[in-house]
């Protein structure tokens, strides 16, 4: 956009820099249109060029022909972060506002893959005329590709070598048997966490084993869980005499 003088994204050595790029003139800040936009918005010319670059870069990634449906002047002002920027571009002839959206005139001349290909070809031919380009043979290109691949492999090996070893995989929590009520179990687990003794997979397995034994002895495992939750007990005990329990000697809290 803004002229054909320079390909933004090509280094002074003549190599295409990484990433996408758009065409902009080196003297764009001196363009009367830019000066007019700057005067209308009370901005300096360098700031206007920066905002134009931001908008044209967006258009290059979002449009193939310069038309952007549903985009409004209000959106352009917000994207450029300057009230009245769209109107100033319209006055400069660099923006057309329609009911269906906006259009950037002469878009295919400056943006898109075809325009970029033409720009690179023109720039390369110009540098060839000035003796700035060395034509690589096919063998040289193959060697360069091979060296680049080798560098990538070496970098990958170095990253893997310095990568910290993966820690042990945590064991999953055991599945609840059908005779355990999820609400009773979750309440017990939440209590343990609140008391700073959260259930580990190993502890959960031991609790479930003990609940199975209590169930075989005629105790309701869900009532047992609720009892431990109410009393903030880390372990489970048989329910006796209206809630009083008799602890088995030598048992250690899980």
């Amino acid at each position: 956009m803004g002229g054909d003088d320079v390909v933004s994204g090509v280094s002074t050595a003549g190599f295409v820099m990484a990433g996408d790029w758009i065409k902009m003139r080196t003297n764009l800040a001196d363009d009367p249109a830019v000066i007019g936009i700057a005067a209308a918005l009370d901005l300096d010319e360098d700031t206007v060029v920066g905002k134009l670059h931001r908008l044209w870069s967006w258009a290059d990634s979002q449009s193939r022909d310069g038309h952007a449906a549903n985009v409004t002047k209000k959106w352009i002002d917000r994207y450029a972060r300057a009230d009245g920027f769209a109107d100033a571009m319209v006055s400069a002839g660099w923006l057309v506002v329609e009911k269906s959206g906006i259009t950037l005139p002469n878009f295919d001349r400056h943006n898109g893959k075809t325009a970029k290909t033409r720009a690179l070809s023109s720039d390369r031919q110009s540098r060839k005329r000035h003796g700035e380009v060395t034509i690589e043979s096919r063998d040289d290109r193959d060697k360069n590709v091979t060296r680049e691949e080798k560098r990538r492999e070496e970098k990958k090996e170095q990253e893997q070598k310095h990568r910290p070893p993966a820690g042990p995989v945590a064991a999953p929590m055991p599945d609840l048997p059908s005779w355990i009520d999820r609400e009773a179990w979750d309440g017990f687990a939440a209590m343990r966490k609140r008391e700073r003794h959260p259930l580990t997979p190993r502890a959960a397995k031991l609790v479930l084993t003990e609940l199975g034994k209590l169930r075989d002895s005629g105790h309701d495992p869900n009532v047992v869980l609720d009892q431990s939750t109410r009393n903030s007990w880390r372990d489970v005990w048989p329910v006796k005499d209206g809630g009083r329990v008799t602890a088995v000697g030598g048992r250690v809290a899980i």
Side-chain angles (χ1 to χ4, degrees):
M1 306 297 293
D4 303 323
D5 298 355
V6 167
V7 179
S8 176
V10 177
S11 69
T12 56
F15 298 102
V16 179
M17 299 173 64
D20 292 334
W21 50 270
I22 63 173
K23 294 173 58 180
M24 291 185 68
R25 285 178 287 158
T26 56
N27 63 344
L28 183 59
D30 299 327
D31 191 297
V34 172
I35 295 173
I37 294 175
L41 302 180
D42 195 22
L43 298 172
D44 62 81
E45 287 77 10
D46 289 342
T47 299
V48 172
V49 170
K51 294 182 181 299
L52 288 170
H53 183 275
R54 174 176 166 81
L55 181 61
W56 288 337
S57 297
W58 168 84
D60 184 61
S61 65
Q62 299 297 329
S63 177
R64 293 184 177 181
D65 57 2
H67 179 73
N70 303 318
V71 176
T72 64
K73 291 194 298 182
K74 183 178 180 180
W75 183 90
I76 290 179
D77 289 352
R78 185 169 69 249
Y79 190 77
R81 299 167 187 168
D83 292 339
F85 196 79
D87 285 331
M89 287 189 66
V90 171
S91 298
W94 287 354
L95 180 69
V96 176
V97 179
E98 304 162 325
K99 290 183 178 180
S100 59
I102 60 96
T103 299
L104 298 171
N106 301 321
F107 181 86
D108 58 348
R109 184 186 304 171
H110 307 290
N111 287 61
K113 291 184 179 180
T114 302
K116 292 176 183 180
T117 300
R118 290 198 306 267
L120 286 176
S121 177
S122 175
D123 180 73
R124 185 176 178 84
Q125 291 298 325
S126 175
R127 287 183 286 112
K128 283 175 61 178
R129 287 194 296 270
H130 292 83
E132 299 175 7
V133 177
T134 300
I135 305 300
E136 288 184 328
S137 67
R138 183 170 182 176
D139 289 341
D140 290 336
R141 288 196 298 271
D142 292 342
K143 290 178 182 178
N144 289 334
V145 171
T146 301
R147 284 195 294 268
E148 182 62 28
E149 291 176 347
K150 184 177 180 180
R151 281 194 294 267
R152 285 199 296 266
E153 289 297 325
E154 290 175 348
K155 181 179 179 181
K156 184 177 180 180
E157 291 176 359
Q158 289 296 323
E159 290 176 350
Q160 292 176 346
K161 186 181 298 182
H162 294 89
R163 185 177 301 164
V169 179
M173 294 294 285
D175 295 330
L176 292 182
S178 59
W179 41 267
I180 292 290
D181 182 71
R182 169 59 69 176
E183 184 177 2
W185 178 262
D186 288 346
F188 175 73
M191 177 276 297
R192 291 268 310 224
K193 184 177 181 180
R194 185 176 63 251
E195 295 296 321
R196 298 185 180 180
H197 297 289
L199 279 172
T200 63
R202 173 64 176 164
K205 184 177 181 180
L206 293 174
V207 170
L208 289 173
T209 299
E210 190 62 30
L211 287 171
K213 294 178 180 178
L214 292 172
R215 178 173 178 267
D216 293 340
S217 300
H219 295 277
D220 186 334
N222 298 307
V223 175
V224 172
L225 284 171
D226 289 341
Q227 172 185 252
S228 295
T229 300
R230 286 195 304 272
N231 294 285
S232 298
W233 294 338
R234 293 164 55 187
D235 205 348
V236 290
W237 308 88
V239 178
K240 291 185 179 180
D241 300 330
R244 295 192 300 275
V245 300
T246 302
V248 179
R251 287 188 61 187
V252 178
I254 298 168

